[in-house]
Amino acid sequence: MAQVIADRRDIDFVLHEQFQVSEMSKHECFADFNKKTVDMIVTEARGLAVKELLPTLKIGDEIGVKFDKGVVTTPDEFKRAWKLLTEGEWLAPARTPEWGGQGMPETLAMATRELLSGGNMALILCAALTHGAAHLVELFGSDEQKNTYLKNMYTGKWSGTMLLTEAEAGSDLGSLTASAVKNDDGTYSITGNKIFISSGEQDLTENIIHPVLARIEGAPAGSRGISLFLVPKYHVNPDGSLGERNDVWCTGIEEKMGIHGSPTCTMTMGAKGQCIGTLLGKENKGLAHMFVMMNEERLMCGWQSLGNTSSSYLHSLDFARTRVQSPKPGSNGPVTIINHADVRRMLLTMKMYVEGMRSLLYFVANCEDRKTLAQSAEEKERYQDLVEILIPVAKGYVSDRAVEMCNMGVQVFGGYGYTSDFPVEQLLRDVRICGIYEGTNGIQALDLMGRKISMKDGQLFTTLSDRIKETLTEAKAVAATSALATQVEAALDKLAEVVSHIKNVVAAGEVDKANAYAANFLVATGDVVTGWLLVWRALLAAKGLEGNAKSKDVSFYEGQLKSAEFFVESVLPVTHGQMTAIMNGKGVAVDISDDAFGGK
């Protein structure tokens, strides 16, 4: 039977051969996660995704969520799926068992996230936000807040959201107008309106905990004066039972292009003057606190993108292997379309990007594990630097490629792909949001080019370059990967020149001109990182072929070499063009007058 979510052999390859996740069981904190346990967890996550979540995917799309007088109703089938997610403790697999997690390595947890999101992205979005909100409580909450909220959220009994965006402020969080007034008992009365709140209201959980950004009365203007609050849908009594309804309400839900199973809510607080919240963390540090969750959700966009793209690829591959149409040169009659050169081009393009995405997302997760195991502050800092510089790539570059690849999946199906008979059109509609929410990809590009390459006097980029060169040096010593590594190294060297060029442009006071090429820079960086990861895969595959590879592994390893070869052959030349455009750019997009755009 064809796989429909993620290639299990490739997940095993990344976990065990590329990142050697079970080797971490030698350390006390991950002692329970040997290879047998790791494989069992992946099997269980995959089974839940395929058998229970995937059947709800189309239901969520067609039935959607319903809004009626402040109440949001999800499809009945979602309730059973949510119950299974909570019973299996899948919401917070990498968190401590003390608070309802499983304590597994982040690398392994990434595999479960990919699989579950591949089953139903809209439903798992609620789980992901719940995890992120609870993690804020774990990191910044008081003992009382932790004891009140944390276990109930990590176990999925209660859910969580993030109330950031306002209609007028949009992505400019420093301009928000939601306000908080301190009460005599230390709580805060909060008023304001928020938009685009995923799962802001739903009927899956008995309570919803909202982290809310607001400005305390008298606080400084701009981002320096924003604080973070916890606002529960229902107040919680001292004995842990639910109390009175808080004054936070859903006033409507959006009709969207995709993820119809996820309610995107407009929320109002304090309509009756009685919305009460408690400060989370320190006053006026709300943005810094919230960005911990924001970065987590940006990585979520990456693994959501991976889940949908992998599924689109596998559906396309299965269709291409069974759909008979037209002869090919030299054939005596019609053949399955996988035999046609252009279809093979599309499938190989999808394959290499899926593999690159998977290795990138798992690498970021593995850096988190390596931070946990680090023996020195310097080592811990090095892994954090890698995480910092790769977050905009894992969010922006991956989600942009996901849209392209899911669109390509529709193309493989031809006319059938444009119908709802097959899931590829829904996968394309659903994944489109990943380039928009949690900071649009334009913001990711500006973050990478405007902040990350200059942080610590350029240390983040140097750390990434050094890590890439470690792999390339090893790959150049192996015949099967030497030429591939040399070409990726040339692209990396040119990227370093681009970084210097950008810094010079900014130093000359032409920041806006540099910003006009931020998207190009994100693409070029993502291409170089993907090339590195594919060469790394190819290196491992070459070693596997040199050894006593089982017959069933030979074609898999050969496929890894072909993915890297095809990327170097078809993408890297374009990458060099992107980098040349940045260095030769005259800032036309900035210089053109508003009237010259036309339309009047």
Side-chain angles (χ1 to χ4, degrees):
M1 179 180 177
Q3 299 189 74
V4 293
I5 292 180
D7 188 324
R8 175 61 189 271
R9 178 64 183 89
D10 198 63
I11 288 179
D12 289 344
F13 173 78
V14 174
L15 287 176
H16 295 304
E17 298 181 57
Q18 191 165 27
F19 298 118
Q20 301 176 335
V21 66
S22 56
E23 289 295 306
M24 289 189 285
S25 64
K26 296 176 182 177
H27 299 269
E28 184 178 356
C29 60
F30 298 132
D32 293 335
F33 297 94
N34 57 30
K35 187 177 186 301
K36 181 178 180 181
T37 302
V38 168
D39 290 343
M40 179 189 71
I41 289 171
V42 174
T43 297
E44 290 297 318
R46 184 174 180 273
L48 176 62
V50 173
K51 296 175 183 178
E52 302 292 347
L53 301 187
L54 189 59
T56 69
L57 179 66
K58 191 169 185 177
I59 292 170
D61 187 55
E62 295 181 343
I63 296 178
V65 291
K66 309 297 182 184
F67 174 80
D68 183 30
K69 299 177 181 178
V71 176
V72 174
T73 305
T74 60
D76 291 340
E77 292 81 358
F78 276 32
K79 279 80 166 178
R80 169 180 164 80
W82 187 266
K83 183 173 183 289
L84 293 171
L85 284 168
T86 58
E87 288 177 346
E89 299 180 340
W90 293 110
L91 268 69
R95 304 275 72 84
T96 173
E98 176 188 1
W99 296 114
Q102 298 186 45
M104 70 175 64
E106 285 283 354
T107 315
L108 175 57
M110 183 59 73
T112 69
R113 295 177 190 123
E114 176 197 346
L115 289 162
L116 297 175
S117 184
N120 187 333
M121 172 183 164
L123 179 61
I124 296 302
L125 174 57
C126 182
L129 291 170
T130 299
H131 175 275
H135 199 199
L136 286 179
V137 177
E138 183 177 5
L139 292 174
F140 304 114
S142 64
D143 289 342
E144 181 180 358
Q145 288 172 323
K146 291 178 184 178
N147 291 326
T148 300
Y149 298 114
L150 201 49
K151 190 164 187 177
N152 284 319
M153 295 176 73
Y154 275 153
T155 59
K157 183 178 181 182
W158 300 347
S159 65
T161 65
M162 53 194 302
L163 271 63
L164 282 69
T165 308
E166 298 181 6
E168 297 303 320
S171 297
D172 182 10
L173 298 178
S175 299
L176 60 80
T177 59
S179 63
V181 177
K182 193 169 186 177
N183 301 315
D184 292 339
D185 62 357
T187 64
Y188 290 79
S189 295
I190 299 174
T191 57
N193 300 291
K194 303 287 184 175
I195 63 170
F196 298 152
I197 308 304
S198 297
S199 301
E201 179 61 37
Q202 38 77 10
D203 59 354
L204 298 173
T205 61
E206 64 182 32
N207 203 2
I208 304 173
I209 314 303
H210 304 288
V212 178
L213 288 181
R215 196 183 310 278
I216 297 174
E217 190 176 42
S223 59
R224 294 185 302 112
I226 296 175
S227 298
L228 180 62
F229 303 87
L230 285 181
V231 176
K233 175 180 176 180
Y234 289 97
H235 293 296
V236 183
N237 296 319
D239 64 358
S241 62
L242 297 185
E244 296 181 356
R245 183 72 155 79
N246 204 355
D247 189 14
V248 54
W249 306 92
C250 175
T251 58
I253 59 175
E254 303 295 338
E255 295 295 327
K256 307 185 299 295
M257 177 180 180
I259 57 169
H260 296 153
S262 172
T264 303
C265 304
T266 301
M267 306 293 293
T268 186
M269 299 168 290
K272 302 176 182 178
Q274 299 174 349
C275 181
I276 303 299
T278 55
L279 182 69
L280 181 60
K282 298 180 179 179
E283 288 189 7
N284 302 331
K285 300 296 183 182
L287 271 185
H289 295 338
M290 182 58 85
F291 262 90
V292 173
M293 181 176 179
M294 180 64 76
N295 282 338
E296 185 173 313
E297 305 316 324
R298 286 172 174 174
L299 290 175
M300 175 200 73
C301 294
W303 51 259
Q304 285 179 327
S305 297
L306 169 59
N308 276 37
T309 308
S310 177
S311 186
S312 183
Y313 168 60
L314 291 174
H315 280 292
S316 300
L317 182 61
D318 183 54
F319 183 79
R321 283 172 168 162
T322 56
R323 170 67 168 163
V324 177
Q325 183 177 328
S326 304
K328 61 170 287 186
S331 69
N332 294 321
V335 296
T336 52
I337 63 172
I338 196 173
N339 289 284
H340 294 298
D342 191 55
V343 174
R344 296 175 79 83
R345 173 193 62 82
M346 290 189 287
L347 291 173
L348 185 50
T349 301
M350 296 177 77
K351 175 183 185 293
M352 71 182 185
Y353 275 117
V354 167
E355 291 167 352
M357 290 176 188
R358 184 170 290 125
S359 287
L360 173 55
L361 271 296
Y362 286 46
F363 178 79
V364 174
N366 193 249
C367 286
E368 294 289 350
D369 290 330
R370 299 300 169 185
K371 277 169 49 185
T372 299
L373 301 177
Q375 298 297 304
S376 67
E378 292 78 10
E379 185 182 7
K380 189 182 292 287
E381 182 181 18
R382 184 166 66 252
Y383 285 116
Q384 181 59 34
D385 287 349
L386 289 169
V387 171
E388 290 282 354
I389 196 168
L390 287 174
I391 281 176
V393 181
K395 194 279 187 189
Y397 178 84
V398 168
S399 59
D400 277 344
R401 298 293 82 72
V403 173
E404 292 179 14
M405 294 306 103
C406 287
N407 185 50
M408 195 169 285
V410 171
Q411 193 71 24
V412 171
F413 276 81
Y416 288 112
Y418 198 65
T419 72
S420 60
D421 293 348
F422 294 92
V424 288
E425 63 87 23
Q426 182 188 341
L427 294 170
L428 173 58
R429 287 187 289 106
D430 284 354
V431 84
R432 186 62 187 87
I433 187 60
C434 291
I436 299 173
Y437 61 11
E438 316 308 345
T440 65
N441 285 356
I443 291 175
Q444 304 309 308
L446 290 172
D447 178 48
L448 178 65
M449 193 187 75
R451 289 184 63 246
K452 299 300 173 62
I453 65 171
S454 59
M455 284 175 63
K456 298 182 180 180
D457 294 325
Q459 184 57 48
L460 272 63
F461 182 77
T462 299
T463 299
L464 176 61
S465 296
D466 289 346
R467 179 61 190 88
I468 292 173
K469 288 176 182 178
E470 287 179 23
T471 305
L472 298 182
T473 298
E474 186 178 356
K476 286 194 294 183
V478 175
T481 55
S482 179
L484 300 175
T486 298
Q487 293 184 68
V488 173
E489 185 176 50
L492 176 62
D493 290 342
K494 188 168 183 177
L495 186 64
E497 294 178 23
V498 171
V499 169
S500 296
H501 170 77
I502 291 170
K503 290 179 178 179
N504 290 335
V505 172
V506 171
E510 297 181 295
V511 177
D512 215 21
K513 177 181 174 182
N515 288 346
Y517 294 93
N520 303 71
F521 183 70
L522 177 63
V523 172
T525 304
D527 285 349
V528 170
V529 168
T530 302
W532 157 53
L533 293 166
L534 292 177
V535 168
W536 185 358
R537 281 168 158 263
L539 174 63
L540 295 171
K543 291 179 178 179
L545 290 170
E546 290 173 359
N548 297 316
K550 298 177 181 178
S551 57
K552 64 183 180 67
D553 289 330
V554 170
S555 59
F556 174 82
Y557 286 142
E558 290 175 345
Q560 298 307 304
L561 287 161
K562 291 299 182 183
S563 288
E565 183 181 345
F566 190 62
F567 188 88
V568 167
E569 172 188 293
S570 63
V571 176
L572 280 191
V574 182
T575 309
H576 281 280
Q578 290 273 12
M579 292 189 285
T580 299
I582 296 170
M583 297 180 75
N584 293 342
K586 305 300 182 184
V588 176
V590 175
D591 294 337
I592 183 175
S593 69
D594 291 356
D595 289 341
F597 280 102
K600 291 186 176 181

